[in-house]
Amino acid sequence: MKKTTANIDLRKAGLKVTLPRISILEILEEAEQHHMSAEDVYKTLLSNGNEVGLATVYRVLTQFEAAGLVTRHHFDGGQAIFELDTGDNHDHIVCLKTGKVAEFKDEAIETRLMEIAAELGYTLSDHKIVLYGEVKDPDEKQTRLKITN
Amino acid sequence: MKKTTANIDLRKAGLKVTLPRISILEILEEAEQHHMSAEDVYKTLLSNGNEVGLATVYRVLTQFEAAGLVTRHHFDGGQAIFELDTGDNHDHIVCLKTGKVAEFKDEAIETRLMEIAAELGYTLSDHKIVLYGEVKDPDEKQTRLKITN
DNA sequence: CTAGGTGCAAACATTTTGCATGGTT
DNA sequence: AACCATGCAAAATGTTTGCACCTAG
């Protein structure tokens, strides 16, 4: 099924096509909430019947990050959060009540950030914006979370 | 000397005025590079001749954060970075070459972020922007780092 | 005097690494 | 067959906590 896609991505990254890597890619692709900690991925693997060690999950996620397949975030404390790098380099808004993460992208802001970096004498290579707030109407959370997808 | 100021801040926060707390406040106030990890603060204390435990540094920094005196950042991985909360809620730009952190603040962006949050149905309570780049002219680094102070 | 603060060491949580075994190309 | 990947357990970080002692108010 999806293995074809995954295989291509992995080969392009110069990584052998192994079961743990395929499974992890698929999990990241198919997860409803696609912002996952290594532990989240690990638990999903287990409940899918995949026998993969947590160390391998970390190793694979780190390799994926190096290959540009995955992005690593450090939203608040504790664990790192990973998500598939779709190339659109979006930003995030975290609900302080539910912990859920939504995405957005705004050209005006990106343009302004580049100007600011230039004014400060920097060559800008990346940026991260994280907004913290609360969803006004929790019942519409689902919808709102999908708003930028 | 500065103890008066520190005392006031501490009392306002409902914290007893102790040597470790005063010293840590002073370090954060006076450090050239005022974005410091707990370890940085700890080492500075030691080299200043203050006998304070690392655990105390963490406890004090956490209390300061709760009291609104200090802000905690998670720029990339590893350790948390602390800085005095001056109330201006500025954002940061990190040099990927030198690791140095500079600050900036832009009303246009803040306004736009509030709009975005509202559009997404969120009540915005905070935001963090981190730019990653390289200083074009390293020799002027000092100056540029001070640009927003 | 009493509540709260501190140092130290142990506990924790997360992530990384060494090494022998196993799978891909 | 050669090399890379994996699992496990141990180690390495970074941060928190329990406890006996100490100190500011």
Side-chain angles (χ1 to χ4, degrees):
Chain A
M1 31 194 74
K2 298 210 87 153
K3 288 192 176 183
T4 314
T5 320
N7 286 1
I8 293 170
D9 290 344
L10 292 172
R11 289 226 172 78
K12 252 190 287 189
L15 298 169
K16 283 186 182 172
V17 179
T18 64
L19 203 41
R21 285 176 181 157
I22 295 170
S23 314
I24 292 174
L25 258 192
E26 286 183 0
I27 286 172
L28 289 173
E29 280 167 1
E30 293 165 13
E32 2 47 63
Q33 170 59 54
H34 60 227
H35 297 91
M36 308 179 78
S37 67
E39 190 81 31
D40 291 336
V41 173
Y42 176 63
K43 282 183 193 148
T44 307
L45 282 167
L46 293 191
S47 60
N48 287 4
N50 289 300
E51 291 293 330
V52 177
L54 180 55
T56 299
V57 174
Y58 275 106
R59 265 186 297 231
V60 168
L61 287 173
T62 302
Q63 291 161 341
F64 283 3
E65 185 190 19
L69 295 174
V70 150
T71 305
R72 185 191 305 243
H73 301 285
H74 301 277
F75 288 141
D76 35 348
Q79 345 100 340
I81 298 293
F82 300 85
E83 74 174 322
L84 227 47
D85 188 339
T86 55
D88 71 341
N89 198 40
H90 54 251
D91 293 296
H92 297 87
I93 179 161
V94 180
C95 179
L96 295 172
K97 224 182 313 186
T98 66
K100 287 298 164 65
V101 181
E103 303 172 353
F104 69 91
K105 186 163 175 65
D106 189 81
E107 287 303 333
I109 286 188
E110 313 224 336
T111 306
R112 182 72 191 111
L113 288 180
M114 280 191 283
E115 286 172 16
I116 291 171
E119 284 167 19
L120 293 172
Y122 281 75
T123 306
L124 192 57
S125 52
D126 196 12
H127 75 265
K128 293 229 171 111
I129 303 178
V130 187
L131 306 185
Y132 299 93
E134 289 191 5
V135 185
K136 280 176 195 153
D137 184 349
D139 290 327
E140 297 181 44
K141 193 172 48 193
Q142 279 301 92
T143 311
R144 297 189 186 290
L145 279 169
K146 297 289 184 191
I147 213 159
T148 58
N149 287 3
Chain B
M1 32 195 75
K2 298 210 89 155
K3 287 194 176 182
T4 314
T5 321
N7 287 1
I8 293 171
D9 290 344
L10 291 173
R11 290 225 173 78
K12 253 190 287 189
L15 298 169
K16 283 186 181 171
V17 178
T18 64
L19 201 42
R21 286 176 181 155
I22 296 171
S23 314
I24 292 174
L25 258 192
E26 286 183 359
I27 285 172
L28 289 172
E29 280 166 1
E30 295 166 13
E32 0 49 61
Q33 168 60 56
H34 60 227
H35 297 91
M36 306 179 80
S37 66
E39 190 82 29
D40 291 337
V41 173
Y42 175 63
K43 282 183 193 149
T44 307
L45 282 167
L46 294 191
S47 61
N48 288 3
N50 289 299
E51 290 292 331
V52 177
L54 179 56
T56 299
V57 174
Y58 275 106
R59 267 186 297 231
V60 168
L61 287 172
T62 302
Q63 293 161 341
F64 284 4
E65 184 190 20
L69 294 175
V70 149
T71 305
R72 183 191 305 244
H73 301 284
H74 301 275
F75 288 142
D76 35 346
Q79 345 106 25
I81 298 294
F82 300 84
E83 74 173 322
L84 227 48
D85 188 339
T86 54
D88 70 342
N89 196 43
H90 54 249
D91 293 295
H92 297 87
I93 179 162
V94 180
C95 179
L96 295 173
K97 224 183 310 186
T98 66
K100 288 296 162 69
V101 180
E103 304 171 353
F104 70 92
K105 185 163 175 64
D106 188 80
E107 287 304 332
I109 285 188
E110 312 222 338
T111 306
R112 183 71 191 111
L113 287 180
M114 281 191 282
E115 286 172 16
I116 291 172
E119 284 167 19
L120 295 171
Y122 281 75
T123 307
L124 192 58
S125 52
D126 195 13
H127 75 264
K128 293 233 170 103
I129 304 178
V130 186
L131 306 185
Y132 298 93
E134 288 190 4
V135 185
K136 279 175 195 153
D137 183 349
D139 290 328
E140 295 182 46
K141 191 172 50 193
Q142 279 300 93
T143 311
R144 298 189 186 288
L145 279 169
K146 297 289 182 190
I147 213 159
T148 59
N149 286 2

